[in-house]
């Protein structure tokens, strides 16, 4: 029983819990499910100045720094009931959508999450006397979610929404959250 709970806990960090439940109900030979989300709100952050800081530090320190910051972001995902989709380098992607991605789907929650990400990075950086800030892009619209790969499977989001998200994040001023007009 404890072993199964541990496996369930790990699985729910790799994909939304409702998707894990859906997988349990499918035969082993069944095709992996995908989901169309008509109303998704996704945030993507970038740590401005982090690449420069990382180039001046030992790799172990970089892992520690990113672990601290992403740990703070993980607490915020719980607070705002957003789903952590993935991290890529120093980018953190999370949001809400229709079932099965999240139980709650309110764009305002994702915007508040983004604002608090910026605030957390500001406080973290100021405590250390460093010049690291955060910018966040938030997009709202349709996307597709699904499990990809055959090894180390993860649940990813795809579509025009994700492309728009990249643009919003990359053009957001440092220390700000840039939100699509659809929100």
């Amino acid at each position: 029983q404890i072993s199964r709970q541990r496996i369930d806990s790990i699985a729910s960090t790799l994909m939304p819990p409702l998707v894990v439940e859906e997988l349990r109900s499918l035969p082993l030979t069944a095709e992996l499910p995908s989901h169309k989300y008509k109303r998704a709100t996704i945030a993507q952050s970038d740590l401005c100045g982090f690449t420069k800081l990382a180039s001046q530090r030992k790799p172990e320190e970089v892992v520690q720094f990113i672990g601290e910051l992403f740990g703070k972001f993980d607490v915020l995902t719980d607070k705002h009931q957003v789903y952590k989709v993935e991290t890529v380098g120093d980018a953190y992607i999370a949001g809400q959508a229709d079932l099965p991605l999240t139980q709650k789907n309110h764009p305002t929650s994702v915007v508040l999450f983004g604002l608090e990400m910026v605030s957390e990075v500001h406080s973290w950086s100021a405590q250390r006397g460093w010049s690291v800030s955060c910018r966040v892009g938030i997009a709202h619209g349709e996307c597709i979610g699904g499990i990809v790969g055959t090894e180390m499977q993860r649940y990813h989001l795809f579509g025009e929404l994700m492309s728009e998200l990249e643009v919003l994040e990359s053009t957001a001023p440092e220390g700000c959250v840039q939100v699509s007009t659809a929100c």
Side-chain angles (χ1 to χ4, degrees):
Q1 181 65 15
I2 292 172
S3 181
R4 176 145 175 108
Q5 287 174 338
R6 183 179 172 102
I7 291 169
D8 288 348
S9 176
I10 292 168
S12 70
T13 67
L14 300 175
M15 55 194 72
L18 292 176
V19 173
V20 173
E21 286 182 31
E22 182 179 0
L23 286 173
R24 273 198 198 99
S25 69
L26 296 174
L28 267 174
T29 57
E31 190 172 307
L32 294 173
S34 64
H35 308 94
K36 183 170 184 170
Y37 299 108
K38 294 191 180 285
R39 299 179 323 111
T41 307
I42 310 297
Q44 178 172 317
S45 69
D46 177 52
L47 299 176
C48 308
F50 193 81
T51 301
K52 181 179 178 185
L53 175 68
S55 72
Q56 301 166 349
R57 302 295 177 152
K58 294 177 183 176
E60 296 83 5
E61 291 176 299
V62 175
V63 170
Q64 180 187 357
F65 300 155
I66 206 82
E68 286 176 19
L69 281 173
F70 284 4
K72 292 176 183 296
F73 294 170
D74 289 345
V75 170
L76 294 176
T77 63
D78 292 341
K79 177 180 177 182
H80 294 285
Q81 297 177 345
V82 299
Y83 177 72
K84 177 181 177 180
V85 177
E86 65 182 318
T87 61
V88 180
D90 66 350
Y92 191 103
I93 304 167
Q96 292 182 342
D98 308 312
L99 293 173
L101 189 70
T102 56
Q103 295 278 349
K104 181 178 170 186
N105 187 9
H106 301 292
T108 305
S109 296
V110 180
V111 172
L112 291 172
F113 168 73
L115 289 168
E116 286 197 48
M117 291 173 83
V118 170
S119 178
E120 284 288 346
V121 173
H122 177 77
S123 297
W124 178 87
S125 181
Q127 288 172 352
R128 289 156 181 78
W130 295 341
S131 294
V132 176
S133 61
C134 181
R135 66 174 166 219
V136 177
I138 299 177
H140 178 79
E142 293 184 6
C143 65
I144 299 286
I147 301 164
V148 296
T150 55
E151 300 293 325
M152 293 184 67
Q153 295 174 324
R154 290 293 310 254
Y155 193 83
H156 290 276
L157 301 177
F158 301 94
E160 191 176 316
L161 173 70
M162 302 310 287
S163 300
E164 180 184 358
L165 180 61
E166 286 277 338
V167 171
L168 288 165
E169 176 268 306
S170 66
T171 60
E174 287 187 31
C176 294
V177 176
Q178 183 163 254
V179 180
S180 69
T181 55
C183 281

